[in-house]
Amino acid sequence: MPESLFDLILGAEVRAARIEGHLATDPVIAAQWRAEAAVAESVASIGLEDIRVSETDLLMRVSENPEIHADVRAVEDALSALRFLRSPGDPGDEPKTVLERIARLAARAETDEPLPDMDLELQNVFQHCKGRAPILEAIRASASYAALTERRSPVGERLVFVAAEHLSRGRVVGSSSHAARQDDPLRGLGGRVDASWVVLPSLALTRMKFRIWSPLNPQSVRDFLRGVSGILDQELGRLIAIRSWHQQANEIAHSAHGRSRLPDAISAFGVEPILTSAALAERIGVTPRGALNLLDKMVSSGLLVELTRRRSARIWSTPGLAALLAKRVTPSIGRSSSKFGQEAKPGPGTHSDVSGEGRAAVERALTEFDAVLEKVDGILARIGDHRHD
């Protein structure tokens, strides 16, 4: 018997809660996991639009490497998506600001055709995000956005999903966090992560098995939820590796002697897993030469990897992020004609405009989401009653 939407949602929500629990135990683990996951997700999201780009391309673009072979616009779009993932803003109090950021990115990544004006109906796509079932609430927000924008922006729909889940998990920051990042020399690869999302929608669609993104199509939603459960199971392995780094870092920091600034340098990389020597010097208040000496010690102890082996524009990161940014794909320029790209093209009733899916189907999908949310509300109410007994 096929699993019901409720059963699939429950499985995905339980897995996400397990990840969220790990992240809540330590801000260092949370910062490193989201920094790594955001890089992979930003590349996967642009890749879903049949554009070949890799994590390594982001590093090469940021370090101003003239040998970059990738589509420069695609890399810039991925960096824009990365900046959004690292700091979605506050979709609860500032939905218009968040949606305008999404619209600007989507216009670059997909089409020059403008999205609808940010009227009140569009700004209300986040109104159901109350923390009851964050994944389902995020799917519903994406579906509402998809219907209102007539499926013109799959990238935008996935960013709405991220912003909605970020809101549902209850930790949001104002748009000032986004503004403070505009002069970041690493252009989104670096800086603190101000986000609370757990689910990686594009990776759930592409890792292990390719799936079509279509939040208004019931079967696509079910396939997506299976992908979410699979990717979250895999991400537990990433968390284990980060926790191991954290333990090693603590041991080295505690063994430092006297007035050594090594513990401070380790702490800096704990919350910002990729830094230049100038940034490290500024963060902990040492000279540029002192920062380089500390970086050399951390590299020799296995805590860091130097990503750019050159005399200038040098960048260091934690091993997990370094392994991700060192990944390479076959270079290509422009649109990909690969099998992946062919599979990514929309089929009937999936990646077309909303009229292709049918207004009645849209209403049925949103009604089904609301029915499951009501079921979740009932379960939470019963739990609350038991606690008061």
Side-chain angles (χ1 to χ4, degrees), residues 5 33 74 81 85 103 151 160 166 195 213 312 337:
L5 178 61
W33 181 79
L85 290 165
R151 298 300 329 270
V160 166
H166 164 71
W213 167 258
S312 60
S337 58

Side-chain angles (χ1 to χ4, degrees), residues 124-278:
N124 282 339
V125 298
F126 300 112
Q127 67 178 339
H128 294 279
C129 300
K130 301 176 182 178
R132 299 161 295 178
I135 297 174
L136 179 58
E137 290 174 352
I139 293 173
R140 197 199 187 288
S142 296
S144 297
Y145 184 84
L148 293 170
T149 58
E150 299 184 337
R151 298 300 329 270
R152 275 183 270 179
S153 176
V155 167
E157 292 162 17
R158 291 190 291 274
L159 292 178
V160 166
F161 178 99
V162 169
E165 196 211 358
H166 164 71
L167 174 61
S168 289
R169 295 199 184 277
R171 179 177 173 271
V172 298
V173 293
S175 58
S176 59
S177 175
H178 166 65
R181 262 180 234 293
Q182 297 306 302
D183 60 351
D184 173 20
L186 295 180
R187 308 190 50 221
L189 281 180
R192 291 174 179 264
V193 178
D194 295 317
S196 56
W197 46 260
V198 170
V199 173
L200 310 163
S202 303
L203 290 180
L205 294 164
T206 56
R207 192 179 287 179
M208 298 177 290
K209 174 185 176 182
F210 181 80
R211 297 172 171 88
I212 292 292
W213 167 258
S214 184
L216 290 170
N217 183 293
Q219 185 56 51
S220 293
V221 170
R222 285 167 169 76
D223 288 343
F224 171 68
L225 289 168
R226 293 185 185 97
V228 167
S229 292
I231 194 69
L232 291 177
D233 285 342
Q234 286 190 345
E235 287 303 315
L236 285 172
R238 192 198 302 269
L239 282 171
I240 291 171
I242 291 172
R243 191 176 294 278
S244 176
W245 181 94
H246 191 28
Q247 291 172 346
Q248 180 188 3
N250 282 338
E251 291 171 2
I252 293 173
H254 290 149
S255 66
H257 299 292
R259 299 169 62 184
S260 171
R261 302 302 304 276
L262 185 58
D264 297 324
I266 290 173
S267 295
F269 274 93
V271 294
E272 296 185 55
I274 179 169
L275 289 168
T276 63
S277 59

Side-chain angles (χ1 to χ4, degrees), residues 347-360:
T350 53
H351 229 38
S352 59
D353 65 17
V354 73
S355 61
E357 307 209 31
R359 294 287 175 181

Side-chain angles (χ1 to χ4, degrees), residues 292-311:
L292 287 170
N293 290 338
L294 291 169
L295 288 164
D296 287 342
K297 291 179 181 178
M298 294 178 72
V299 169
S300 64
S301 65
L303 291 179
L304 295 182
V305 174
E306 184 176 351
L307 296 172
T308 52
R309 298 182 181 278
R310 58 178 76 175
R311 294 181 64 86

Side-chain angles (χ1 to χ4, degrees), residues 373-386:
L373 281 172
E374 287 181 10
K375 193 171 183 179
V376 171
D377 284 339
I379 292 172
L380 292 176
R382 288 195 296 274
I383 292 173
D385 290 341
H386 287 312

